[in-house]
Amino acid sequence: MWKTLSGLFVSLLLLVGLSIYEIRYVTTAMDRIRDAAIGLFHLTEERCATHEDGNALRLLWEAEKETLHIWVPHTSIENIDYHLNEALGYLYQENYEDALPKLEVIIDMTETITHSIALLPGNVF
């Protein structure tokens, strides 16, 4: 009986520990992406952003995406890819007005993903 209870306790500790690690990792990664997207958003508002500025955000996203596939649903990753590629296309054409909403969606998605994995009662129950 004690072996069973101790096994359950160890499993619970592992589950909680892994959950805390997941939340911290995803939050840190999304914060980096959000900060870069906000910077690009401000450059785009000032009409100073270039395709290379957008490419820097894409490189950061590609690097983070490699590990985020483990923790974040594929559809969320796919949506960020889609909006980021559209924003880069608009920046390439210097169409700043159309790039701004795409960047805003990326910023909002990084916040939404972070909140969706948080240990909140609505996410747990």
Side-chain angles (χ1 to χ4, degrees), residues 50-86:
T50 65
H51 185 261
E52 291 305 314
D53 295 327
N55 225 10
L57 177 60
R58 182 194 311 221
L59 290 174
L60 174 64
W61 170 244
E62 292 293 330
E64 294 293 347
K65 184 171 71 168
E66 293 295 321
T67 308
L68 286 174
H69 271 288
I70 298 169
W71 310 108
V72 177
H74 185 69
T75 54
S76 297
I77 290 174
E78 199 172 70
N79 284 332
I80 291 177
D81 279 339
Y82 174 75
H83 289 287
L84 181 58
N85 288 332
E86 277 199 32

Side-chain angles (χ1 to χ4, degrees), residues 15-68:
L15 187 62
V16 169
L18 189 60
S19 296
I20 290 170
Y21 175 78
E22 172 194 12
I23 291 167
R24 291 177 61 100
Y25 181 83
V26 172
T27 300
T28 303
M30 288 297 158
D31 285 347
R32 281 193 296 265
I33 294 163
R34 183 182 316 110
D35 291 343
I38 289 171
L40 183 58
F41 183 86
H42 290 307
L43 282 175
T44 305
E45 275 184 322
E46 297 169 2
R47 304 177 72 82
C48 298
T50 65
H51 185 261
E52 291 305 314
D53 295 327
N55 225 10
L57 177 60
R58 182 194 311 221
L59 290 174
L60 174 64
W61 170 244
E62 292 293 330
E64 294 293 347
K65 184 171 71 168
E66 293 295 321
T67 308
L68 286 174

